[in-house]
Amino acid sequence: MRIPRFVAPLVAAVCLAAATTGLPATAAPAHPASTTDAAFDTVSGALDVDRAAYLSKHDVVYDRPNTDPRYGLTVGNGRMGAMAWQENGLTMQVSGVDNSQQGAFGGGLVNLRTTPALEDGATRYQQRLSLYDGTLTTRYADDRTVTVMGAPNSEVMGIHVEDGRSNVSAVTLDLSLWDLGRLSNSGDVPDLTTWKTVRTYADADSAGLSRGQDDPQGFGYTLAAAVEGAAYRTQVVDGSRVRLTITPSHSYTVWFTTSSRKNAPDHDSPAQAERALTQVGNTGYAGTLDAYKKWWHAFWQKSFVQYSDQSGAADYLENVYYLSTYMIAAGGYGDYPFHFINGVFRATGDDTKWSNAYWYWNQRDVYNSFLASDHADLMNGFNRLYSRNADALRAFTKQRYGVDGIWVPETMGWDGNARGTVNSDYTKNIWSTGAEAAYNMYLQYRYTNDTGYLRQTVYPFLRGVVGFYQRMLSHDDATGQYYVAESNSHETYWNVPNAITDLAAVRTVFPIAISVSQQLGQDADLRPQWQDILDHLIPYPSDASTYLPHTPPLAQTRNNENVAAEIVWPYDRTGIGYPDQQKAVDTWRARPFPYGNVWSNDAVQAARLGLGDDAFNGMKTMLDKYENYPNGMTENTNGVFEYLGVHLSAINESLLQSYNGKIRVFPAVPSLSGFTGKFTLLANGGFQVSSEREAGEVKYVGIRSLYGNTTQVVSPWGGERIQVRRASDNAVVLRTTDREFTLNTDAHTVYVVERVAEPLSAYGRTRLTGTANQGAKSLPGTRSTLGLNAS
């Protein structure tokens, strides 16, 4: 039972408002809490959640067969994925993240059909994407179930069939390709002919098709299949189709693979496909499914968010959060990144665009949330694209600019090539991409405390980027200022002076380079030069109330990016509590292209500025405009997965911010009736942070220090008296009324920040759970839906 609440100081509600907005507030009466329990586990240092039950409420459910490939539900195992729909049986387009350059080409079609059809005579139908288990299960009737799953983090997936009917006379599995005669070189491959050339085979154990086998860059793949649990025979049907004819059985599994040449010994993908199918067959369906589920369960265990309200609108946003996380992670563990358009999910054959490179602007949207959600391994897949190409980038920088350093092309191919950048007026003079890449590598270190990565990977790259700017900046002898004579302010303003993105880039990476060089004991002779640039860098261009994208007069706009707001996110140069917060807010409100494209990050920036209602409404606006299909995907051809990644960052930043070395909980929550926010997320510096907010009240802040670092904590109760208690022995290590305080920690230790008048012990203990979703959902006031109802 909860102990009686003490009377809180009148300033409590005021301080809460200040913590939420980052702006001064006046006194107001305190209000009672609406609930009496808390879910924080002081042993694990995380919220206590029945994740199987909780995530089940976010399953995507189709209660009628979907025949539209665009609406296909998505299932993947980390390195390959499938979109499934009902067309002459169960049909899927499959893809592997490492199959082709930038994932430009799809893998093929997989079609399973029976006679009579699986749906024949069925009186109820349900297809469920189970996020917690990572499975896609279709129940045609009580005696017919098909489950799509995979071997975890591999290039093998499976279709398991339980079919209790006694009248099945035929079962076939076809692997095929679409018409390759119209294939265009969307992937900027050196030899398109090999991607139009298909080689098929059928032997006693498997059948498959291959293409890209002569790709000189080592890409290409083999799509192949075999069967466990039933007899079968294989055949080549034609030049682009093979078939497995399966003896009807009540229980069997079709294993299929998109084995890539890049990941195969000697680039031999047909041999690798046979090995992979043999291995998964030896493990068997039960063992593989168990390992697959455990892999996904461990993935979900890393973090948690609840973002809900009485209307159900916030709950819908939470549903999209978990679905987006699943879709990106389902293809995010390859050797190359999950491409912002191609990923591993499509239903359009090879039809794609913007596939000649990885656009950093777009890729950052897909990936930048995953440090806070404690998936640095995902972020590493993105960062590795740039660090592995550091030598090529350094060489090209010398060739193009005649300077020692690293310039990163905004549109960069898998091998570091800049063809997509230097041949485009939109991108050829963008300088700032390298700073973003270096900063994201540094943040990976900050979240993981991996000093080996800092020394061997981050600092050499960072030093190269700083060296590039050091040599490219101009100096005004009359004023003593450093400035940018001419570059692109991203894609929108071409060949302009003092692009705000470049000035923000310098102000971001130069202090880090100085700090890391001191930490590592390197380049002491360069630090004074770097500091001199920082001390004398020209101010951001601005007018009386807003920042500007470059020194005026403003150039013609060529794209619809809100460039001036970039200093808020991703450059982290301003936000809540900064002296220029109001100017940054005014800049954001005056942005010329609100929610102008599928990659628009307006809602993330709103959260960084403490604008909770704007962040919430921005997420709704983005879904209303771009979530066009009931599987959560978009019809926008300028991008596919960016808005899902932006959504992840917007919710994370609404619940927890730590970008400036300060832990700040619930900095940008909406003023919705009955809003409830709860989370376990990771903060910069290696702190697992948990907190719960209901009825406008923050109950506590739980902090598990992973590495024993020191951090600053912003009290969510303003000047109210608080204490920090070490959970292991209940020792109080700090008491204060400061609005911000320093917390020194020991590694692997849990701390509770709580009000003296209302400690965590005042709340009863609970566990968070949920009830499985059983139908379609809609986002109030928008066109957005998830799932399909029966009619």
Side-chain angles (χ1 to χ4, degrees):
M1 175 177 286
R2 185 180 178 187
I3 65 173
R5 179 189 177 100
F6 292 104
V7 177
L10 293 178
V11 296
V14 177
C15 299
L16 178 59
T20 303
T21 65
L23 300 173
T26 56
H31 51 267
S34 65
T35 59
T36 59
D37 53 35
F40 186 62
D41 181 346
T42 56
V43 176
S44 68
L47 294 181
D48 184 7
V49 183
D50 181 347
R51 282 177 168 78
Y54 193 92
L55 264 72
S56 72
K57 71 179 184 177
H58 294 317
D59 290 352
V60 183
V61 174
Y62 283 6
D63 280 329
R64 69 174 186 268
N66 161 48
T67 59
D68 190 330
R70 299 170 302 167
Y71 298 176
L73 287 179
T74 53
V75 55
N77 67 354
R79 292 170 62 186
M80 65 175 290
M83 285 184 69
W85 64 94
Q86 202 71 29
E87 180 182 356
N88 191 25
L90 179 70
T91 297
M92 299 184 291
Q93 179 168 340
V94 301
S95 292
V97 72
D98 296 328
N99 287 358
S100 59
Q101 293 87 338
Q102 297 85 231
F105 303 132
L109 295 171
V110 177
N111 172 252
L112 174 73
R113 61 190 182 275
T114 66
T115 305
L118 282 164
E119 64 271 24
D120 192 58
T123 57
R124 75 182 177 91
Y125 173 97
Q126 187 180 86
Q127 188 173 67
R128 175 181 294 271
L129 173 58
S130 169
L131 299 179
Y132 183 65
D133 289 340
T135 55
L136 179 64
T137 302
T138 308
R139 300 186 185 280
Y140 294 89
D142 290 339
D143 59 350
R144 275 159 278 169
T145 302
V146 175
T147 301
V148 184
M149 38 69 73
N153 200 16
S154 77
E155 294 179 323
V156 181
M157 293 180 63
I159 307 169
H160 181 72
V161 180
E162 295 285 342
D163 190 345
R165 296 175 297 172
S166 59
N167 63 334
V168 177
S169 60
V171 180
T172 58
L173 187 285
D174 280 8
L175 307 180
S176 64
L177 285 167
W178 36 86
D179 179 10
L180 300 181
R182 297 177 297 172
L183 183 67
S184 65
N185 197 359
S186 58
D188 188 30
V189 301
D191 178 12
L192 190 61
T193 300
T194 187
W195 289 97
K196 292 183 176 182
T197 302
V198 182
R199 303 172 186 174
T200 57
Y201 80 92
D203 60 28
D205 298 315
S206 66
L209 52 88
S210 304
R211 64 175 178 153
Q213 293 297 296
D214 299 313
D215 183 84
Q217 294 174 337
F219 287 93
Y221 67 93
T222 296
L223 170 63
V227 181
E228 172 197 347
Y232 63 100
R233 57 185 175 83
T234 68
Q235 68 181 109
V236 174
V237 178
D238 55 39
S240 61
R241 182 184 300 268
V242 298
R243 177 169 295 160
L244 283 70
T245 302
I246 304 168
T247 301
S249 172
H250 292 318
S251 178
Y252 56 93
T253 305
V254 176
W255 297 110
F256 59 94
T257 178
T258 55
S259 291
S260 61
R261 291 181 69 220
K262 272 289 181 184
N263 296 321
D266 301 319
H267 296 320
D268 189 343
S269 63
Q272 176 61 22
E274 294 215 32
R275 281 191 296 269
L277 293 173
T278 299
Q279 181 178 355
V280 75
N282 289 339
T283 302
Y285 169 69
T288 303
L289 177 64
D290 181 63
Y292 180 72
K293 287 182 177 181
K294 286 178 178 176
W295 187 80
W296 275 111
H297 297 173
F299 175 88
W300 293 117
Q301 194 68 30
K302 291 280 192 175
S303 58
F304 172 82
V305 302
Q306 180 179 350
Y307 187 92
S308 64
D309 75 315
Q310 291 180 351
S311 74
D315 296 80
Y316 188 97
L317 301 186
E318 182 188 315
N319 201 148
V320 174
Y321 179 95
Y322 284 108
L323 176 60
S324 302
T325 300
Y326 174 81
M327 280 202 280
I328 296 169
Y333 287 94
D335 196 32
Y336 291 91
F338 183 100
H339 190 273
F340 68 95
I341 281 183
N342 302 320
V344 293
F345 299 124
R346 67 172 81 173
T348 56
D350 288 327
D351 186 20
T352 181
K353 68 177 184 178
W354 312 130
S355 298
N356 59 300
Y358 299 91
W359 267 249
Y360 203 96
W361 175 283
N362 305 75
Q363 292 293 149
R364 73 185 189 186
D365 285 352
V366 174
Y367 275 95
N368 274 16
S369 71
F370 284 102
L371 290 175
S373 56
D374 199 10
H375 296 295
D377 48 358
L378 269 175
M379 189 65 165
N380 185 53
F382 177 34
N383 286 338
R384 187 173 60 239
L385 175 67
Y386 297 89
S387 61
R388 80 192 326 168
N389 285 307
D391 290 343
L393 295 170
R394 193 174 284 108
F396 187 77
T397 303
K398 183 70 172 179
Q399 174 190 330
R400 185 183 189 203
Y401 291 101
V403 302
D404 292 324
I406 293 178
W407 168 82
V408 175
E410 170 64 18
T411 56
M412 191 185 86
W414 68 276
D415 57 355
N417 78 74
R419 290 188 295 273
T421 291
V422 298
N423 295 319
S424 168
D425 288 332
Y426 284 89
T427 57
K428 66 184 180 184
N429 291 327
I430 295 175
W431 290 1
S432 55
T433 306
E436 286 197 61
Y439 187 39
N440 266 339
M441 291 179 202
Y442 177 71
L443 288 176
Q444 182 178 324
Y445 155 70
R446 287 288 301 160
Y447 278 80
T448 63
N449 212 48
D450 186 342
T451 55
Y453 178 68
L454 178 70
R455 181 181 297 274
Q456 298 159 19
T457 301
V458 179
Y459 185 65
F461 197 95
L462 176 66
R463 186 182 184 276
V465 171
V466 168
F468 170 76
Y469 267 112
Q470 182 180 359
R471 292 162 180 83
M472 295 296 291
L473 289 172
S474 299
H475 185 263
D476 187 332
D477 293 336
T479 64
Q481 289 182 323
Y482 293 91
Y483 65 98
V484 180
E486 185 178 279
S487 68
N488 278 19
S489 194
H490 223 269
E491 291 194 25
T492 299
Y493 306 91
W494 298 354
N495 305 317
V496 296
N498 297 315
I500 196 170
T501 43
D502 287 317
L503 300 181
V506 171
R507 289 189 168 97
T508 299
V509 297
F510 273 57
I512 296 171
I514 292 170
S515 174
V516 175
S517 71
Q518 291 173 325
Q519 180 180 347
L520 299 179
Q522 299 182 25
D523 297 323
D525 58 324
L526 295 179
R527 287 177 220 146
Q529 303 172 43
W530 298 340
Q531 189 63 55
D532 182 63
I533 290 173
L534 276 175
D535 292 342
H536 299 95
L537 186 65
I538 194 170
Y540 295 131
S542 67
D543 57 25
S545 59
T546 66
Y547 291 111
L548 301 175
H550 61 86
T551 297
L554 293 188
Q556 176 185 350
T557 58
R558 310 285 185 164
N559 204 337
N560 53 349
E561 302 162 338
N562 299 309
V563 178
E566 292 279 287
I567 63 172
V568 179
W569 184 95
Y571 289 102
D572 301 346
R573 295 299 89 206
T574 185
I576 300 171
Y578 281 74
D580 64 343
Q581 180 183 350
Q582 189 56 58
K583 189 169 189 174
V585 169
D586 292 341
T587 301
W588 185 85
R589 294 207 182 282
R591 66 200 189 282
F593 307 109
Y595 308 107
N597 216 312
V598 70
W599 35 252
S600 297
N601 47 53
D602 308 37
V604 185
Q605 293 163 344
R608 279 289 179 88
L609 294 168
L611 307 175
D613 286 330
D614 289 289
F616 168 76
N617 289 323
M619 287 186 277
K620 285 184 62 178
T621 297
M622 287 292 287
L623 294 183
D624 187 31
K625 293 181 72 169
Y626 302 116
E627 189 218 315
N628 309 117
Y629 302 146
N631 57 3
M633 296 182 73
T634 185
E635 65 184 7
N636 187 290
T637 58
N638 285 312
V640 175
F641 301 103
E642 301 103 307
Y643 81 101
L644 299 176
V646 166
H647 187 83
L648 298 179
S649 291
I651 285 189
N652 284 351
E653 295 289 340
S654 296
L655 300 177
L656 173 70
Q657 292 178 19
S658 63
Y659 63 96
N660 57 355
K662 297 179 180 180
I663 292 174
R664 191 186 301 268
V665 302
F666 302 110
V669 295
S671 56
L672 296 172
S673 175
F675 176 80
T676 297
K678 303 181 180 186
F679 70 86
T680 294
L681 293 168
L682 194 62
N684 190 323
F687 302 95
Q688 182 178 273
V689 181
S690 304
S691 192
E692 300 179 63
R693 186 183 191 273
E694 293 186 83
E697 176 189 83
V698 177
K699 299 178 180 180
Y700 63 90
V701 181
I703 299 174
R704 180 172 179 258
S705 174
L706 303 182
Y707 311 117
N709 290 328
T710 296
T711 188
Q712 293 289 117
V713 180
V714 178
S715 171
W717 308 287
E720 188 171 348
R721 186 166 179 77
I722 63 170
Q723 64 186 20
V724 180
R725 179 169 50 83
R726 188 170 54 226
S728 59
D729 60 1
N730 285 325
V732 174
V733 299
L734 177 70
R735 280 198 176 95
T736 184
T737 57
D738 291 345
R739 293 173 180 268
E740 296 183 14
F741 59 90
T742 300
L743 180 61
N744 299 309
T745 71
D746 295 323
H748 312 298
T749 302
V750 177
Y751 301 86
V752 178
V753 183
E754 58 192 3
R755 294 162 291 180
V756 172
E758 190 79 14
L760 177 61
S761 59
Y763 297 89
R765 177 69 185 275
T766 190
R767 191 178 199 213
L768 304 180
T769 187
T771 302
N773 176 42
Q774 297 297 337
K777 299 178 181 179
S778 61
L779 177 59
T782 75
R783 298 165 294 177
S784 299
T785 61
L786 285 174
L788 293 173
N789 285 324
S791 59

